[in-house]
Amino acid sequence: MAHGDITHIDIPVSDMAKASAFYSGLFGWNIAEMPGFEGYPMWSAPNGISGGGLAPRDADFTQPRSYVEVDSIDDTIAAAKDAGGTVAMEKQSITDTSSWAVIVDPDGNRIGLFEGVVGG
């Protein structure tokens, strides 16, 4: 997988423009409203396959649950901090060839980061 590739996920947000700028700047996602889905900007990852949407936050929809493939967790954490994000969990090893971390975007969403490969 390439930097920025993830599985489909809906991310709850309270400010669509701020969230769009954060995610497109950090991961290179293309974010746009599709006909018939006004108010629900959809994103597609660099692979053109993975995608999801930015959905309005409400009391029952507060946290996404997915992981983003990155070339470098260290570089991505630095870029997230520069873009107004924070770190919920620093980089930790999963195996000898993979690591993970959790960042928090400016809207308070926890996003998992994955680097490397698991298995043979």
Side-chain angles (χ1 to χ4, degrees), residues 86-110:
T86 60
V87 178
M89 187 192 81
E90 294 289 343
K91 181 178 175 180
Q92 296 182 8
S93 294
I94 299 170
T95 68
D96 290 343
T97 58
S98 63
S99 300
W100 70 303
V102 179
I103 60 170
V104 181
D105 75 6
D107 210 38
N109 295 302
R110 290 174 181 249

Side-chain angles (χ1 to χ4, degrees), residues 63-76:
Q63 293 296 317
R65 299 286 184 247
S66 193
Y67 289 81
V68 179
E69 175 80 17
V70 296
D71 294 333
S72 166
I73 288 175
D74 296 328
D75 291 348
T76 303

Side-chain angles (χ1 to χ4, degrees), residues 3-120:
H3 181 87
D5 288 350
I6 69 169
T7 61
H8 182 93
I9 184 173
D10 286 333
I11 301 170
V13 300
S14 57
D15 183 326
M16 294 293 180
K18 188 175 183 179
S20 293
F22 179 83
Y23 287 112
S24 64
L26 188 60
F27 297 124
W29 292 351
N30 179 31
I31 301 173
E33 287 188 359
M34 307 299 285
F37 296 95
E38 290 78 14
Y40 176 67
M42 296 180 137
W43 56 264
S44 61
N47 67 3
I49 299 168
S50 301
L54 302 178
R57 174 183 297 279
D58 66 30
D60 296 324
F61 186 50
T62 62
Q63 293 296 317
R65 299 286 184 247
S66 193
Y67 289 81
V68 179
E69 175 80 17
V70 296
D71 294 333
S72 166
I73 288 175
D74 296 328
D75 291 348
T76 303
I77 285 174
K81 288 178 179 178
D82 288 346
T86 60
V87 178
M89 187 192 81
E90 294 289 343
K91 181 178 175 180
Q92 296 182 8
S93 294
I94 299 170
T95 68
D96 290 343
T97 58
S98 63
S99 300
W100 70 303
V102 179
I103 60 170
V104 181
D105 75 6
D107 210 38
N109 295 302
R110 290 174 181 249
I111 305 298
L113 304 176
F114 176 83
E115 174 187 338
V117 294
V118 176

